Every structure is written in structure tokens, then in C-alpha cells.
Amino acid sequence: DELKQVMTSEGDQVPDARSLLLGLRAIAVERMAEAVRAISLGEGFEPSDYTLVAFGGAGPQHACELAESLGVQRVLVPGDAGLLSAWGLHRSRREGVVEEQVLATMAEVADDWVTNLMALAEEAVASVPGGELARWLIEMRVQGQSSSLEIESEGQEIPMLRDLLVSFQQRYQDLFGYPCSQEHAVEVVMVRAIASEEIEEREKESFSQPVAVEGLLKSDFCTILANPGWQSQTGSRGSLLLETTNQQKEQAWDGVVGEELMRARFESLAEGMGELLRRTALSTNVKERLDFSCALLDGAGRLLINAPHIPVHLGALGVCVRRISEGRQWRKGDVVVVNHPGYGGSHLPDVTVVSPVFGAQGVIAFVANRAHHSEIGGKAPGSMPGDAISLEEEGVVISPRLLVDAGQECFKEVEMLLRQARYPSRAVAENLADLRAQVAANRSGVLAMEQLVTLFGEEKVLSGMESLFQRAESLMAFRLQEKGEWSANDALDDGTPVRVKLRSSRGWLEIDFGGSAAAHPGNLNATEGVTRSAVLYALRLWLDEDLPLNEGLLSRVQIHAQGTFLQPEFPSNAADCPAVVGGNVETSQRVVELILRALEISAESQGTMNNFLFGNERFGYYETIGGGSGATDCSDGASGVHVHMTNTAITDPEVLEYRFPVRLHQFALRQGSGGAGQFTGGDGLIREVEFLEKMTVTLLTQRRERPPRGSSGGGVGAVGEQSLWRDGHWISLPGMQTFDVSVREKILLKTPGGGGYGDLTPISVH
């Protein structure tokens, strides 16, 4: 009844009870499919290549519909489905698994390969009385990647390296859509020898001829619901093997049910792109910190849906796609790469890759991803110099250019650009490897969209995209029926003023940043895309609806920031363009805090990304460090988290110390750093790192001079601090600086806490 009321209020046609229940079931199945896709792709497996096994009492009720969503052709329902786990334990054989971590290239293990594997095999067999060697599992990866592929070799023979390499290369090509890099060696990660005891083999189950089925099928242990277009074969031990004839398109649901189903498919598409990007990238920044974003845009370049990635990336992708499309004749197979702030970029390390999706009506959509390259040139390793005053000093500037031209790769041209800029990249091979991963992610998104068109038809897919935009637009229009004016003022740590005024009138919202400073002399300038991202994110919080970051929220919003450091001009010559690297990571946070303060949504959070970079001519490393979030009128702030415009992870200590010449001494909550109040602000973090080589370090931080403010009488959070261990004592450092360090010197970072909410003054009770 509640759902019907919502649908009626939004003008949707209310379905009858049966259609509504079937629609809700379809939504539930689609969410299951999302989970299966995420787990399978995360392990390197394409679900449609396999048979879906359905067991338990309820699983078979959804199996056929779930298989259709996943593109799976066959479903196996065991005869004793309700007892399968118990039967499996009864039939399981004892196995002995002996494994050895290798972490060496194939060339490095070649001399001792056979000898070492024979020793592993003997140990495995000895661990299982009466057993024999059954199979080998070898984990392999391109050196530098974090995710490995598992190659299986059955039988007792020692698998040869040359055969493993061929199998790995084929599996890599099949999974990622392009051959593994020849510039990076293939690494053996782990070897497992598996021995197994002998048990009496049961005769394999045989199956009858297929019979068309539709509706309910019952067995002793479960009920199976078969959709039209499925046929069933009965097994000699009571199992059912169902196969789709692949002649039926999926049901085209209408109204909110259809919208929710299409939204789930679109979200799954974006998340699948992200998972593929994470698996194939080489840089720690992408594969460990997850500093990337993937999104789907419509044919007009409007952001529609995204995976839950990085807000500062996502809101800018629409501007970027529209700018690079101006005057461009897109062709099928094109891929464009760009990082220029004047074309909707954020800062130079964030490299964007865009691909069109073609239908009968031309370009019907775009897929795009933006990934932070931890090194792309500039004055300092890590490409985020604290003292940069022009864009050119921050790294290699890539104006929109074809990375793939109608299916033909143009990587050589991009490589020349990376090598020949005034401040060239220090990690060109890694840049190219990550670009290939970005192209592969887009390719998977394009393919997924083409499959959706095949399943539902082009008109239905286009309608689904439009409905997402219109829903966001209508919800914001409803919110803007409330007239009002709000304003807030603040300043960066160096005193640069930031001001905002919001005015809601006649269904429109004006957001005016007039009074904010003009172009910043340093690197704290924000691009138009970054400011737009911050506004979109803040309004999404204000709306408080279950929506993705969708540009429909901005269709009735006018943003005025021209002439300020929140939207400076970008001349054609990079040397004349303002520096922006800090604007993306630091100013964006302040814009969000300012809007949230004006709208009285919460106390201020840490208001910084605490950017910490180090490296030398061999490498560059970058991380952002969490802090405290601001309290609200109903909850304490969270401690030790990334807030607002950043949503990255932080590199695991083991990975950090394995890949880079540093030692992590401390990583802990900064107790008591959150602001006091009826609800307290979250605590910041403490991170202490020792350097084992000479390096250059960059700090880009804010909230070192001006603390995060509380709300409604709540106290301020602690400001951040940083210091350098040198010559036997700690030296306090400014929040924005690039400097050199020597062996055994250390950095100690203390991040800000969040502001508190509400006065702690006791209330008298009589």
C-alpha cells in the first residue's frame, strides 16, 4: 500500500497486486545478480561461462530468473538439493594441500622449478594416507598487479613453465580483452600441490531428453520456478538440468519497477567496469587505494549513474564528456583520453578515458572512467608539488586526444607525450599499463550496454536512462518548492576567503560563490568540474533520497563561480594556466563543508584529504589519510574515515612496506581530537612513516590553522599537525610543502577531528 501511494504521488500507473509482486520479485533477483557478478568478476570469472547450481529449499525458486539476468545458459538442481551440504560432507574426500609462496618471475624460478615442485608433491602425498597427487594450482600475474589468475593443471605430472605461460596469456586475453603487457614480466605468486585419497567413484548421473517447461516443478526437497523458454532434463538420481532456449527476451517492466530494474543493470555495469579496472591496473594507487571512478552517461553526456567510487571524480565527468564531444565526430571503437582541467578535468594525475556506445540512433550513451595515476610528471615525484604555481609544473598535460581511433590503438603517440613533456612522467610504463586497464574497463562497459540493448531493445534502454535523469530532476524540483536563502563564509588556512549564498525561488536554486577570492597564486584553484562535483555531492545529501550522483539534480540549479578561484580561466598554454592540484583535493572539501554549513546539515568534518606523497626518480607514491567526520543532530561523527569528496582506501601496511622503501611505525586513532557536544565529532588519525631511502616528500593539507567548526553549540575539532624526525628531535612542518628527506628520517601526521553538534549545557529538571 505504501509503494502504491508513492507511485500514485509521482504520477505512475499503479499495477495490480500480482504485477506489483512479480515486479518486486524481479527487483530482488536483480540485486542477487549484482552480488553474483561482483563476486565472480572479483575472482576473475565470467558468470555466463558456467552452470548455476541451485540448492537449498528457496534457491531453485529464483534460479532460472537469476540465470537469465546473468546470461547463464544452464541451471542444475541436484536431486537432494535440500540436503546438498550434508551429502557433500559425507562424500568429500580428504585432501592434503601443500603450498609455497613464490613471488618471483618465471625467469627467476626456471632453474629450480621441477625440483621444488617435486618436493611439494611428495609432501602433499605424504599428508594423505593412501592418497595420490591429484592436481596443481598455480597463481600467476603480471608483475606489479595485485590480482592473480589461478591456472589449474590436473594429474600427477609437473606442469611446465612454458605451458603455464601459454595458459596464463590466453586466460588474461579472454578475461581482460587485450594481451598481457610484454614490458612487464609474468610472476608466479603461489604454487599449491593437492593430493587426494581414493574413494569409490559413483556412476555419473545420466539425463533424459529435454522437455519444455513453464511454471512450478516440485521435487522432494525444493520447488523450482521455470520461466518461459526453459526446458528440463530429469537425471537418473533425481536431479534436474534446466537449459534456456535463448529465444525469449527479458520481460520489459514498466513504471517504477522497470526503472529500478534498469537502474540495477546500469549500476552493475559501472561496478563491473570498476572491478575490471582494479584487477588489471598496475599502480598501487588504483589496485590498493581504489582511487578511480566509473560511470554511465547518456548520449548527451549527462551523468546518469555511477559505482560508489570517488565523488570529486564523478560530478565532473559530465562536463568532461560534453567538452570533448564538442565538434567531434565519434566513431565506433573510439576511446579519448584527457586530463586537462579546461576540459572538465580535475587535476593532472586524474586521467579520464571516455568511450561512446552506438545504437541505431547513433551515439546513445557514453562510458567513462577516471583514475588517479600516482606519477605523471611534474616538479616533484607523485605529481602533486606543494609549491607549484602553474599547471605545467604539476605534470604532463593531456588535451583531448584519441587513445584508440576506431579500434586502432594510438598508445605510441601518448607515450611520446608522456616522455617528452617539460616535466615528463617518471613511470611511463606504469602509466601505459594503467591506461590499458582503463580502456579494458570501458570496453567492458560498452559491451554490457550493447548486451542490454539486445536484451531489452534500444528504446527501452534509452527510456531507462531518461527516467533516471527525470526522477532526479523531479525530486529536486519538489525539494525546491521550499523557498529560502542560506549563506556561509569560511577561509582556507592561508586566509583565502570562500563564500556561498544559496537562494531557492520558483523551483530554481541559485548557488553564488561571489565574494570568494580570485585566482589563487598557488595550487588551490578548483576547476569548474571540481566545483560542480562538490555542489552535486552536497545537494545529494540535502535531498536525502536513494539516488546515484545524477546530473538531473543540477538541471534546476544555477552555479555562479566565474572569476573566482573556484572557476578560473585556462589559457591554451599550460605554462600560463593556474595550478590546480590542491584545488581538487583540498578546496573541493571546503566547498562541500561550506554548503553543508549553510544548509545546517552537519558540523564540519576534517575538511581535508591529508595528501601525503613521497618518491624519487624511480617511483612515486600517493595516499590520502582519513580523519574525523562532523556530528549531526542525531549521531556522533565517525572516526578515522575518509569524508565527502574522497572515498578511497589506504594501502595495507604489508603492501606498503613490500612495494616501497618505507617502514610504517604507527597508524592509530587520534583519541580525543573530535569536537565536544551533545553528539561528539569523530576522531582523526595518527600515521608515522620512516624512509629507508632518500626521497622527496610532499604534503598537501588544510585545517592546520582553522579548526573544523561545530554546529548548534558544538565544539571544534582539533586541527591537524605534521612533524619531521630529524637529527634526534621532531620539527613542526607547515601544512603545504615539498621537501627532501634522508634515510631514517620520519614523518608524523595527525589528522583533524570533526566538529561536535549541540550544546553540552546541562538542563535543569524540577
Side-chain angles (χ1 to χ4, degrees), residues 489-569:
N489 301 322
D490 201 357
L492 303 181
D493 279 358
D494 63 3
T496 300
V498 194
R499 299 186 175 94
V500 69
K501 291 181 181 179
L502 299 94
R503 181 171 179 267
S504 173
S505 176
R506 299 188 300 277
W508 285 83
L509 179 66
E510 269 191 284
I511 302 179
D512 189 354
F513 292 100
S516 299
H520 193 277
N523 64 22
L524 291 171
N525 296 285
T527 70
E528 179 187 359
V530 165
T531 299
R532 189 176 176 87
S533 291
V535 169
L536 176 59
Y537 171 84
L539 293 182
R540 167 67 181 77
L541 295 181
W542 187 47
L543 190 62
D544 194 23
E545 293 281 351
D546 180 21
L547 285 174
L549 286 174
N550 181 306
E551 284 194 293
L553 295 175
L554 296 179
S555 63
R556 292 175 170 267
V557 177
Q558 296 176 335
I559 303 171
H560 304 293
Q562 295 90 340
T564 73
F565 76 112
L566 304 179
Q567 191 179 333
E569 295 293 327

Side-chain angles (χ1 to χ4, degrees), residues 345-635:
S346 46
H347 59 182
L348 298 184
D350 285 343
V351 180
T352 305
V353 172
V354 179
S355 301
V357 180
F358 278 83
Q361 304 178 33
V363 176
I364 61 171
F366 292 92
V367 294
N369 68 72
R370 178 168 287 181
H372 185 116
H373 289 228
S374 53
E375 169 55 51
I376 198 160
K379 291 172 58 178
S383 308
M384 296 178 68
D387 58 351
I389 60 173
S390 75
L391 187 65
E392 183 182 51
E393 295 177 333
E394 296 181 326
V396 180
V397 181
I398 306 174
S399 297
R401 62 190 305 144
L402 286 166
L403 188 59
V404 181
D405 185 356
Q408 298 298 314
E409 292 189 352
C410 308
F411 277 78
K412 283 295 183 184
E413 291 87 341
V414 176
E415 180 180 356
M416 294 290 286
L417 180 63
L418 292 168
R419 294 188 186 280
Q420 296 179 357
R422 182 182 176 190
Y423 296 100
S425 173
R426 300 166 181 83
V428 174
E430 186 174 280
N431 295 141
L432 295 174
D434 282 354
L435 282 173
R436 288 190 179 279
Q438 290 181 259
V439 171
N442 272 17
R443 186 181 290 121
S444 74
V446 171
L447 179 60
M449 278 296 289
E450 291 173 346
Q451 289 172 340
L452 285 181
V453 170
T454 300
L455 279 172
F456 295 105
E458 186 170 316
E459 291 301 324
K460 196 68 180 178
V461 172
L462 290 171
S463 175
M465 290 193 290
E466 184 62 27
S467 67
L468 281 171
F469 186 89
Q470 290 181 356
R471 175 168 170 76
E473 182 180 33
S474 63
L475 286 171
M476 180 55 72
F478 182 79
R479 187 74 171 85
L480 294 178
Q481 290 178 3
E482 172 190 351
K483 293 183 179 181
E485 293 188 10
W486 307 268
S487 63
N489 301 322
D490 201 357
L492 303 181
D493 279 358
D494 63 3
T496 300
V498 194
R499 299 186 175 94
V500 69
K501 291 181 181 179
L502 299 94
R503 181 171 179 267
S504 173
S505 176
R506 299 188 300 277
W508 285 83
L509 179 66
E510 269 191 284
I511 302 179
D512 189 354
F513 292 100
S516 299
H520 193 277
N523 64 22
L524 291 171
N525 296 285
T527 70
E528 179 187 359
V530 165
T531 299
R532 189 176 176 87
S533 291
V535 169
L536 176 59
Y537 171 84
L539 293 182
R540 167 67 181 77
L541 295 181
W542 187 47
L543 190 62
D544 194 23
E545 293 281 351
D546 180 21
L547 285 174
L549 286 174
N550 181 306
E551 284 194 293
L553 295 175
L554 296 179
S555 63
R556 292 175 170 267
V557 177
Q558 296 176 335
I559 303 171
H560 304 293
Q562 295 90 340
T564 73
F565 76 112
L566 304 179
Q567 191 179 333
E569 295 293 327
F570 289 93
S572 58
N573 186 359
D576 298 327
C577 292
V580 299
V581 68
N584 178 61
V585 291
E586 297 302 292
T587 306
S588 65
Q589 295 279 62
R590 194 59 56 89
V591 172
V592 170
E593 297 281 17
L594 202 62
I595 297 174
L596 297 186
R597 184 172 189 82
L599 298 173
E600 299 181 347
I601 293 176
S602 71
E604 291 177 344
S605 297
Q606 69 160 340
T608 176
M609 296 190 193
N610 298 294
N611 305 272
F612 174 39
L613 304 93
F614 57 80
N616 51 34
E617 290 307 311
R618 293 191 301 106
F619 72 93
Y621 173 76
Y622 168 56
E623 68 183 22
T624 57
I625 307 172
S629 70
T632 69
D633 61 357
C634 62
S635 67

Side-chain angles (χ1 to χ4, degrees), residues 703-722:
R703 292 296 188 200
R704 267 52 186 175
E705 303 294 334
R706 300 168 184 268
R709 295 171 291 185
S711 184
S712 299
V716 300
V719 295
E721 302 173 10
Q722 50 284 319

